[in-house]
Amino acid sequence: MDELKTRVLFSKDAIAHRVAELGRQISQDYQGESLVVLGALKGSVIFLSDIVRSITVPLQLDFISVSSYEGTTSLGQITTNYSFNIDLTNQHVLLIEDIVDTGLTLQHLLALLKDGGPKSLKVCTLLNKPEAHQLSHLLDYIGFNISKEFVIGYGLDLNENYRNLPSILQVIEES
Ligand code: IMP
């Protein structure tokens, strides 16, 4: 990470604290029910693996593969790959996202998942960039709101690198 200039936006501890809070809230909201938790690959994997361990209601896990980014800008075209291993019909589905930027990926995924006939469909995102979209009403659980900066770490990548960093770092663009 020599040539990349960054600053810590959320430390490992700050993330762990917020993830535990979200997990408690989700557990309360779904008390007495069971859940299908769907992770949008690959960025949500680390967030998902932490948050499911804070959720106390019974749940099943599955993943959707999506991609639309190259470098730090959206390609505007989204490819999805979902094998529907778990039947979503009449299930409470919770979609886990790493970050909502333009919201294009989210809209695409929600349309796809609604076709699966779930009993309910909610969205939990670790990070939200509200300045970049008008879709905050679609987000049921938000870890942190951030501005338009590009971030890496805790699952988030820059050209597939840095996903393993334990904190979330803002990439400082050189002018
Ligand atoms: P959207 O479709 O523009 O909302 O983009 C959502 C997807 O773009 C996320 O799931 C990430 O994979 C990627 N993305 C958006 N912003 C960032 C960022 O700041 N860092 C890393 N990936 C990002």
Side-chain angles (χ1 to χ4, degrees):
M1 163 121 137
D2 299 340
E3 64 292 349
L4 199 63
K5 271 184 85 179
T6 60
R7 76 176 178 94
V8 175
L9 206 54
F10 302 108
S11 68
K12 187 179 164 189
D13 288 350
I15 298 168
H17 183 80
R18 184 67 187 127
V19 170
E21 272 179 357
L22 285 174
R24 274 196 297 276
Q25 197 187 333
I26 290 167
S27 305
Q28 272 174 18
D29 292 352
Y30 288 95
Q31 208 162 21
E33 307 281 354
S34 60
L35 258 185
V36 175
V37 176
L38 279 182
L41 291 171
K42 301 173 205 169
S44 76
V45 163
I46 294 181
F47 174 44
L48 180 140
S49 62
D50 281 343
I51 198 164
V52 289
R53 285 176 288 170
S54 300
I55 299 177
T56 51
V57 299
L59 61 83
Q60 296 181 321
L61 274 183
D62 211 344
F63 293 94
I64 294 185
S65 170
V66 264
S67 77
S68 67
Y69 264 67
E70 198 174 277
T72 59
T73 44
S74 172
L75 294 176
Q77 254 189 347
I78 296 158
T79 48
T80 316
N81 168 12
Y82 183 45
S83 53
F84 288 94
N85 289 322
I86 297 176
D87 184 5
L88 303 183
T89 314
N90 234 8
Q91 300 266 27
H92 291 296
V93 175
L94 179 63
L95 175 65
I96 305 285
E97 273 279 15
D98 51 352
I99 188 164
V100 180
D101 184 356
T102 63
L104 281 174
T105 309
L106 179 67
Q107 282 182 309
H108 181 85
L109 284 177
L110 287 177
L112 188 85
L113 295 175
K114 274 182 194 148
D115 284 347
K119 192 188 286 179
S120 71
L121 178 55
K122 286 190 177 184
V123 181
C124 174
T125 186
L126 174 67
L127 298 170
N128 180 33
K129 294 180 178 173
E131 280 172 48
H133 65 81
Q134 310 275 315
L135 302 171
S136 290
H137 63 284
L138 297 176
L139 304 174
D140 300 283
Y141 306 98
I142 298 170
F144 303 102
N145 285 306
I146 61 171
S147 55
K148 286 189 196 160
E149 63 252 41
F150 195 84
V151 289
I152 54 171
Y154 197 68
L156 291 147
D157 74 307
L158 175 56
N159 294 333
E160 296 299 332
N161 296 305
Y162 313 116
R163 292 191 195 274
N164 58 316
L165 301 178
S167 49
I168 296 171
L169 307 181
Q170 176 190 349
V171 176
I172 298 163
E173 309 267 357
E174 309 262 23
S175 49

